[in-house]
Amino acid sequence: MSEDDIAAVMRIQAECYPSFMQESGAVFRARRDQTPATCWVWSQQGQDPAAYLFSYPSNKNVITALDHPF
């Protein structure tokens, strides 16, 4: 996932989740920067991204709260 993908991630989020479940661009960037190998976008060739995934290892067996950094 690149910096250029963040706007698409924000758009997808707004289309798919209610406002109380949305996270900030700053949090998306921090997560991507912390675990770049496990943050992806998907798109058909030549089209804008249509899906995204942020994943990360957990050493504490705890799910990170929405809109909070890892």
Side-chain angles (χ1 to χ4, degrees):
M1 179 182 298
S2 71
E3 178 61 30
D4 293 341
D5 296 320
I6 297 296
V9 168
M10 299 295 292
R11 176 187 50 78
I12 294 164
Q13 174 185 236
E15 291 174 2
C16 296
Y17 297 102
S19 60
F20 70 90
M21 293 181 71
Q22 294 183 23
E23 300 184 286
S24 69
V27 166
F28 284 139
R29 284 178 183 87
R31 290 179 179 177
R32 183 211 51 216
D33 292 347
Q34 194 168 7
T35 58
T38 59
C39 298
W40 302 284
V41 293
W42 177 86
S43 61
Q44 290 188 351
Q45 189 172 357
Q47 295 186 17
D48 291 336
Y52 66 89
L53 173 68
F54 287 89
S55 63
Y56 60 97
S58 175
N59 296 329
K60 298 180 181 182
N61 293 320
V62 175
I63 297 171
T64 303
L66 286 174
D67 210 33
H68 288 80
F70 293 151

Coordinates of all heavy atoms in Angstrom, one line a residue:
M1 N 0.9 -1.2 0.0 CA 0.0 0.0 0.0 C 0.9 1.2 0.0 O 1.8 1.3 0.8 CB -0.9 0.0 1.2 CG -1.8 1.2 1.3 SD -2.8 1.2 2.8 CE -3.8 -0.3 2.6
S2 N 0.6 2.1 -0.9 CA 1.4 3.4 -1.0 C 0.6 4.6 -0.5 O -0.6 4.5 -0.2 CB 1.8 3.6 -2.4 OG 0.7 4.0 -3.2
E3 N 1.3 5.7 -0.3 CA 0.7 6.9 0.1 C -0.5 7.3 -0.9 O -1.5 7.8 -0.5 CB 1.7 8.1 0.1 CG 1.1 9.4 0.5 CD 0.4 9.4 1.9 OE1 0.8 8.7 2.8 OE2 -0.5 10.2 2.0
D4 N -0.3 7.0 -2.2 CA -1.3 7.3 -3.2 C -2.6 6.5 -3.0 O -3.6 6.9 -3.5 CB -0.7 7.0 -4.6 CG 0.4 7.9 -5.0 OD1 0.5 9.0 -4.4 OD2 1.1 7.6 -5.9
D5 N -2.5 5.4 -2.2 CA -3.7 4.5 -2.0 C -4.6 5.0 -0.9 O -5.7 4.6 -0.7 CB -3.3 3.1 -1.7 CG -2.6 2.4 -2.9 OD1 -3.0 2.7 -4.1 OD2 -1.6 1.7 -2.7
I6 N -4.0 5.9 0.0 CA -4.8 6.3 1.2 C -6.1 6.9 0.9 O -7.1 6.7 1.5 CB -3.9 7.2 2.1 CG1 -2.7 6.4 2.6 CG2 -4.7 7.7 3.3 CD1 -3.0 5.2 3.5
A7 N -6.1 7.8 -0.1 CA -7.4 8.4 -0.5 C -8.4 7.4 -0.9 O -9.6 7.5 -0.5 CB -7.2 9.4 -1.6
A8 N -8.0 6.4 -1.6 CA -9.0 5.3 -2.0 C -9.4 4.5 -0.8 O -10.6 4.2 -0.7 CB -8.3 4.4 -3.1
V9 N -8.5 4.3 0.1 CA -8.9 3.6 1.3 C -9.9 4.4 2.1 O -10.9 3.8 2.6 CB -7.6 3.3 2.2 CG1 -8.0 2.8 3.6 CG2 -6.7 2.3 1.5
M10 N -9.7 5.7 2.2 CA -10.7 6.5 2.9 C -12.0 6.5 2.2 O -13.1 6.5 2.8 CB -10.1 8.0 3.0 CG -8.8 8.1 3.7 SD -9.0 7.7 5.5 CE -10.0 9.0 6.0
R11 N -12.0 6.5 0.9 CA -13.3 6.5 0.1 C -14.0 5.1 0.3 O -15.2 5.1 0.6 CB -13.0 6.6 -1.4 CG -14.2 6.5 -2.3 CD -13.9 6.5 -3.8 NE -12.8 5.6 -4.2 CZ -13.0 4.3 -4.3 NH1 -14.1 3.7 -4.1 NH2 -11.9 3.5 -4.7
I12 N -13.3 4.0 0.2 CA -13.9 2.7 0.5 C -14.5 2.6 1.9 O -15.6 2.1 2.0 CB -12.8 1.6 0.2 CG1 -12.4 1.6 -1.2 CG2 -13.4 0.2 0.7 CD1 -11.1 0.8 -1.5
Q13 N -13.7 3.1 2.8 CA -14.2 3.1 4.2 C -15.5 3.8 4.3 O -16.5 3.4 4.9 CB -13.1 3.7 5.1 CG -13.6 3.9 6.6 CD -12.6 4.6 7.4 OE1 -12.2 4.1 8.4 NE2 -12.2 5.8 7.0
A14 N -15.6 5.0 3.7 CA -16.8 5.9 3.8 C -18.0 5.2 3.2 O -19.1 5.4 3.6 CB -16.5 7.2 3.2
E15 N -17.7 4.4 2.1 CA -18.8 3.7 1.4 C -19.3 2.5 2.1 O -20.4 2.1 2.0 CB -18.3 3.3 0.0 CG -18.1 4.5 -0.9 CD -17.5 4.1 -2.3 OE1 -17.3 2.8 -2.5 OE2 -17.2 5.0 -3.1
C16 N -18.4 1.9 3.0 CA -18.7 0.6 3.6 C -19.1 0.6 5.1 O -19.7 -0.3 5.6 CB -17.5 -0.3 3.4 SG -17.2 -0.7 1.6
Y17 N -18.7 1.7 5.8 CA -18.8 1.7 7.2 C -19.6 2.9 7.7 O -19.4 4.0 7.1 CB -17.5 1.6 7.9 CG -16.7 0.4 7.6 CD1 -15.7 0.4 6.7 CD2 -17.0 -0.8 8.3 CE1 -14.9 -0.8 6.5 CE2 -16.3 -2.0 8.0 CZ -15.3 -2.0 7.1 OH -14.6 -3.1 6.8
P18 N -20.4 2.8 8.8 CA -21.0 4.0 9.3 C -20.0 4.9 10.0 O -18.8 4.4 10.3 CB -22.0 3.4 10.4 CG -21.4 2.1 10.7 CD -20.7 1.6 9.5
S19 N -20.3 6.1 10.1 CA -19.3 7.1 10.6 C -18.7 6.8 11.9 O -17.5 7.0 12.1 CB -19.9 8.5 10.7 OG -21.0 8.5 11.6
F20 N -19.4 6.1 12.8 CA -18.8 5.8 14.1 C -17.8 4.7 14.0 O -17.0 4.4 15.0 CB -19.9 5.4 15.2 CG -20.6 4.1 14.9 CD1 -20.1 3.0 15.5 CD2 -21.7 4.1 14.2 CE1 -20.7 1.7 15.3 CE2 -22.4 2.9 13.9 CZ -21.9 1.7 14.5
M21 N -17.6 4.0 12.9 CA -16.7 3.0 12.7 C -15.5 3.4 11.8 O -14.6 2.6 11.5 CB -17.3 1.7 12.1 CG -18.3 1.0 13.0 SD -19.0 -0.4 12.3 CE -17.6 -1.5 12.3
Q22 N -15.5 4.7 11.4 CA -14.4 5.1 10.5 C -13.2 5.6 11.2 O -13.3 6.2 12.3 CB -15.0 6.2 9.6 CG -16.1 5.7 8.7 CD -16.6 6.7 7.7 OE1 -16.0 7.7 7.4 NE2 -17.8 6.4 7.2
E23 N -12.1 5.4 10.6 CA -10.8 5.8 11.2 C -10.1 6.9 10.3 O -10.5 7.0 9.2 CB -9.9 4.5 11.2 CG -10.5 3.4 12.1 CD -9.5 2.3 12.2 OE1 -9.4 1.5 11.3 OE2 -9.0 2.1 13.3
S24 N -9.2 7.6 10.9 CA -8.6 8.7 10.3 C -7.5 8.3 9.3 O -6.9 7.2 9.5 CB -8.0 9.7 11.3 OG -6.9 9.1 11.9
G25 N -7.2 9.2 8.4 CA -6.1 8.9 7.5 C -4.8 8.8 8.2 O -3.9 8.0 7.8
A26 N -4.7 9.6 9.3 CA -3.4 9.5 10.1 C -3.2 8.1 10.7 O -2.1 7.6 10.7 CB -3.5 10.6 11.2
V27 N -4.3 7.5 11.2 CA -4.2 6.2 11.7 C -3.9 5.1 10.6 O -3.0 4.3 10.8 CB -5.5 5.8 12.5 CG1 -5.5 4.3 12.8 CG2 -5.6 6.5 13.8
F28 N -4.5 5.3 9.5 CA -4.2 4.4 8.4 C -2.7 4.5 8.0 O -2.0 3.5 7.7 CB -5.0 4.7 7.1 CG -6.4 4.2 7.2 CD1 -7.5 4.9 6.8 CD2 -6.7 2.9 7.8 CE1 -8.8 4.5 6.9 CE2 -8.0 2.4 7.8 CZ -9.1 3.2 7.4
R29 N -2.2 5.7 7.9 CA -0.8 5.9 7.6 C 0.1 5.3 8.6 O 1.1 4.7 8.3 CB -0.5 7.4 7.4 CG -1.0 8.0 6.1 CD -0.8 9.5 6.0 NE -1.3 10.0 4.7 CZ -2.6 10.4 4.7 NH1 -3.4 10.4 5.7 NH2 -3.1 10.9 3.5
A30 N -0.2 5.6 9.9 CA 0.7 5.0 11.0 C 0.7 3.5 10.9 O 1.7 2.9 11.1 CB 0.1 5.5 12.3
R31 N -0.5 2.9 10.7 CA -0.5 1.4 10.6 C 0.3 0.9 9.4 O 1.0 -0.1 9.5 CB -1.9 0.9 10.5 CG -2.7 1.2 11.9 CD -4.1 0.7 11.8 NE -4.7 0.9 13.1 CZ -6.0 0.7 13.3 NH1 -6.8 0.2 12.3 NH2 -6.5 0.8 14.5
R32 N 0.1 1.6 8.3 CA 0.9 1.2 7.1 C 2.4 1.3 7.3 O 3.1 0.5 6.9 CB 0.4 2.0 5.9 CG 1.1 1.6 4.6 CD 1.3 2.8 3.6 NE 2.0 3.9 4.2 CZ 1.7 5.2 3.9 NH1 0.8 5.4 3.0 NH2 2.3 6.1 4.5
D33 N 2.8 2.4 7.9 CA 4.2 2.6 8.2 C 4.8 1.6 9.1 O 5.9 1.3 9.0 CB 4.4 4.1 8.7 CG 4.1 5.1 7.6 OD1 4.0 4.8 6.4 OD2 4.0 6.3 8.0
Q34 N 4.0 1.2 10.1 CA 4.4 0.2 11.1 C 4.5 -1.2 10.6 O 5.4 -1.9 10.9 CB 3.5 0.3 12.3 CG 4.1 -0.4 13.5 CD 3.3 -0.1 14.8 OE1 2.3 0.5 14.8 NE2 3.9 -0.5 15.9
T35 N 3.6 -1.6 9.7 CA 3.6 -2.9 9.2 C 3.3 -2.9 7.7 O 2.3 -3.5 7.2 CB 2.5 -3.8 9.9 OG1 1.2 -3.2 9.7 CG2 2.8 -4.0 11.4
P36 N 4.2 -2.3 6.9 CA 4.0 -2.2 5.4 C 3.8 -3.5 4.7 O 3.1 -3.6 3.7 CB 5.2 -1.4 4.9 CG 6.2 -1.7 5.9 CD 5.5 -1.8 7.3
A37 N 4.4 -4.6 5.2 CA 4.3 -5.9 4.4 C 3.0 -6.5 4.6 O 2.7 -7.5 3.8 CB 5.4 -6.8 5.0
T38 N 2.1 -6.0 5.5 CA 0.8 -6.7 5.7 C -0.3 -5.7 5.5 O -1.4 -5.9 6.1 CB 0.8 -7.3 7.1 OG1 1.0 -6.3 8.1 CG2 1.8 -8.4 7.2
C39 N -0.1 -4.6 4.7 CA -1.2 -3.7 4.4 C -1.3 -3.6 2.9 O -0.4 -3.3 2.2 CB -0.8 -2.3 4.9 SG -0.7 -2.3 6.7
W40 N -2.5 -4.0 2.4 CA -2.7 -4.1 0.9 C -3.9 -3.4 0.4 O -4.9 -3.2 1.2 CB -2.8 -5.6 0.6 CG -1.7 -6.5 1.0 CD1 -0.5 -6.5 0.3 CD2 -1.7 -7.4 2.0 NE1 0.3 -7.5 1.0 CE2 -0.4 -8.0 2.0 CE3 -2.6 -7.7 3.0 CZ2 0.0 -9.0 3.0 CZ3 -2.2 -8.7 3.9 CH2 -0.9 -9.3 3.9
V41 N -3.9 -3.1 -0.8 CA -5.1 -2.7 -1.5 C -5.3 -3.6 -2.7 O -4.3 -4.2 -3.2 CB -5.1 -1.2 -2.1 CG1 -5.1 -0.2 -0.9 CG2 -3.9 -1.0 -3.0
W42 N -6.5 -3.8 -3.2 CA -6.8 -4.7 -4.3 C -7.5 -3.9 -5.4 O -8.4 -3.1 -5.0 CB -7.7 -5.9 -3.9 CG -8.0 -6.7 -5.1 CD1 -7.3 -7.7 -5.7 CD2 -9.2 -6.6 -5.9 NE1 -7.9 -8.2 -6.8 CE2 -9.1 -7.6 -7.0 CE3 -10.3 -5.8 -5.9 CZ2 -10.1 -7.7 -7.9 CZ3 -11.3 -5.9 -6.9 CH2 -11.1 -6.9 -7.9
S43 N -7.2 -4.1 -6.6 CA -7.9 -3.4 -7.7 C -7.8 -4.3 -8.9 O -6.8 -5.1 -9.1 CB -7.4 -2.0 -8.0 OG -6.0 -2.1 -8.4
Q44 N -8.8 -4.2 -9.8 CA -8.6 -4.8 -11.1 C -7.7 -3.9 -11.9 O -7.6 -2.7 -11.7 CB -10.0 -4.9 -11.8 CG -10.9 -5.9 -11.2 CD -12.2 -6.1 -12.0 OE1 -12.5 -5.4 -12.9 NE2 -12.9 -7.1 -11.5
Q45 N -7.0 -4.6 -12.9 CA -6.0 -3.9 -13.6 C -6.5 -2.6 -14.3 O -7.6 -2.6 -14.9 CB -5.4 -4.8 -14.7 CG -4.2 -4.2 -15.4 CD -3.6 -5.2 -16.3 OE1 -4.0 -6.4 -16.4 NE2 -2.6 -4.8 -17.1
G46 N -5.8 -1.5 -14.0 CA -6.2 -0.2 -14.6 C -7.4 0.5 -13.9 O -7.8 1.5 -14.4
Q47 N -7.8 0.0 -12.8 CA -8.9 0.6 -12.1 C -8.4 1.1 -10.7 O -7.4 0.7 -10.2 CB -10.1 -0.3 -12.0 CG -10.7 -0.7 -13.3 CD -12.0 -1.5 -13.2 OE1 -12.6 -1.6 -12.1 NE2 -12.4 -2.1 -14.2
D48 N -9.3 1.9 -10.1 CA -9.0 2.4 -8.7 C -9.1 1.2 -7.7 O -9.9 0.3 -8.0 CB -9.9 3.5 -8.3 CG -9.7 4.8 -9.1 OD1 -8.6 5.0 -9.5 OD2 -10.6 5.6 -9.2
P49 N -8.4 1.3 -6.6 CA -8.6 0.2 -5.6 C -10.0 0.0 -5.2 O -10.8 1.0 -5.1 CB -7.8 0.7 -4.4 CG -6.7 1.6 -5.0 CD -7.4 2.3 -6.2
A50 N -10.4 -1.2 -5.0 CA -11.8 -1.6 -4.6 C -11.8 -2.2 -3.2 O -12.9 -2.4 -2.7 CB -12.4 -2.5 -5.6
A51 N -10.7 -2.6 -2.6 CA -10.7 -3.2 -1.3 C -9.3 -2.9 -0.7 O -8.4 -2.6 -1.3 CB -10.9 -4.7 -1.4
Y52 N -9.3 -3.0 0.7 CA -8.1 -2.8 1.4 C -8.1 -3.8 2.6 O -9.1 -4.3 3.0 CB -7.9 -1.4 1.9 CG -8.9 -0.9 2.9 CD1 -8.7 -1.1 4.3 CD2 -10.0 -0.3 2.5 CE1 -9.6 -0.6 5.2 CE2 -11.0 0.2 3.4 CZ -10.7 0.0 4.8 OH -11.6 0.5 5.7
L53 N -6.8 -4.0 3.1 CA -6.7 -4.9 4.3 C -5.5 -4.4 5.0 O -4.4 -4.2 4.5 CB -6.4 -6.3 3.8 CG -6.0 -7.3 5.0 CD1 -7.2 -7.5 5.9 CD2 -5.5 -8.6 4.4
F54 N -5.7 -4.2 6.3 CA -4.6 -3.9 7.3 C -4.6 -5.1 8.2 O -5.6 -5.4 8.8 CB -4.9 -2.6 8.1 CG -4.8 -1.3 7.3 CD1 -5.9 -0.8 6.6 CD2 -3.6 -0.6 7.3 CE1 -5.8 0.4 5.9 CE2 -3.5 0.6 6.6 CZ -4.6 1.1 5.9
S55 N -3.4 -5.7 8.3 CA -3.3 -6.8 9.3 C -1.9 -6.6 10.0 O -1.0 -5.9 9.5 CB -3.3 -8.1 8.6 OG -2.2 -8.3 7.7
Y56 N -1.9 -7.1 11.2 CA -0.7 -7.0 12.0 C -0.6 -8.1 13.0 O -1.6 -8.6 13.5 CB -0.7 -5.6 12.7 CG -1.9 -5.4 13.6 CD1 -1.7 -5.6 15.0 CD2 -3.1 -5.0 13.2 CE1 -2.8 -5.5 15.8 CE2 -4.2 -4.8 14.0 CZ -4.0 -5.1 15.3 OH -5.1 -4.9 16.2
P57 N 0.6 -8.4 13.4 CA 0.8 -9.4 14.5 C 0.5 -8.8 15.8 O 0.7 -7.6 16.1 CB 2.3 -9.8 14.4 CG 2.9 -8.6 13.8 CD 1.9 -8.0 12.9
S58 N -0.1 -9.6 16.7 CA -0.5 -9.2 18.0 C 0.3 -10.0 19.1 O 0.2 -11.2 19.1 CB -2.0 -9.3 18.3 OG -2.3 -9.0 19.6
N59 N 1.1 -9.3 19.8 CA 1.9 -9.9 20.9 C 1.1 -10.0 22.2 O 1.4 -10.7 23.1 CB 3.2 -9.2 21.2 CG 4.1 -9.3 20.0 OD1 4.1 -10.2 19.2 ND2 4.9 -8.2 19.8
K60 N 0.0 -9.3 22.3 CA -0.8 -9.2 23.5 C -2.2 -9.9 23.4 O -2.9 -9.9 24.3 CB -1.0 -7.7 23.8 CG 0.2 -7.0 24.1 CD 0.0 -5.5 24.5 CE 1.3 -4.8 24.7 NZ 1.0 -3.4 25.1
N61 N -2.5 -10.5 22.2 CA -3.7 -11.1 22.0 C -4.9 -10.1 22.2 O -5.9 -10.5 22.8 CB -3.9 -12.4 22.8 CG -3.0 -13.4 22.4 OD1 -2.7 -13.6 21.2 ND2 -2.4 -14.2 23.3
V62 N -4.7 -8.9 21.8 CA -5.7 -7.9 22.0 C -6.0 -7.2 20.6 O -5.0 -7.0 19.8 CB -5.2 -6.8 23.0 CG1 -6.2 -5.6 23.1 CG2 -4.9 -7.4 24.3
I63 N -7.2 -6.9 20.3 CA -7.6 -6.2 19.1 C -7.5 -4.7 19.3 O -8.0 -4.2 20.3 CB -9.0 -6.6 18.6 CG1 -9.0 -8.1 18.3 CG2 -9.4 -5.7 17.4 CD1 -10.4 -8.6 18.0
T64 N -6.8 -4.0 18.5 CA -6.6 -2.6 18.6 C -8.0 -1.9 18.4 O -8.7 -2.2 17.5 CB -5.6 -2.0 17.6 OG1 -4.4 -2.7 17.7 CG2 -5.4 -0.6 17.7
A65 N -8.3 -0.9 19.3 CA -9.5 -0.1 19.2 C -9.5 0.7 17.9 O -8.5 1.1 17.4 CB -9.6 0.8 20.4
L66 N -10.7 0.9 17.4 CA -10.9 1.7 16.2 C -10.3 3.1 16.4 O -10.4 3.7 17.5 CB -12.4 1.9 15.8 CG -13.0 0.7 15.2 CD1 -14.5 0.9 15.0 CD2 -12.4 0.3 13.9
D67 N -9.6 3.6 15.3 CA -9.0 4.9 15.3 C -7.9 5.1 16.3 O -7.6 6.2 16.7 CB -10.1 6.0 15.4 CG -9.6 7.3 14.6 OD1 -8.9 7.1 13.6 OD2 -10.0 8.4 15.0
H68 N -7.3 4.0 16.7 CA -6.1 4.1 17.6 C -4.9 3.4 16.9 O -5.1 2.4 16.2 CB -6.4 3.4 18.9 CG -7.3 4.1 19.8 ND1 -8.7 4.1 19.6 CD2 -7.0 4.9 20.8 CE1 -9.2 4.9 20.6 NE2 -8.3 5.4 21.3
P69 N -3.7 3.9 17.1 CA -2.6 3.2 16.4 C -2.3 1.8 17.0 O -2.8 1.5 18.1 CB -1.4 4.1 16.7 CG -1.8 4.9 17.9 CD -3.3 5.0 17.9
F70 N -1.6 1.0 16.3 CA -1.3 -0.4 16.8 C -0.5 -0.2 18.1 O 0.2 0.7 18.4 CB -0.4 -1.1 15.8 CG -1.1 -1.5 14.5 CD1 -0.3 -1.6 13.4 CD2 -2.4 -1.8 14.5 CE1 -0.9 -2.0 12.2 CE2 -3.0 -2.1 13.3 CZ -2.3 -2.2 12.1

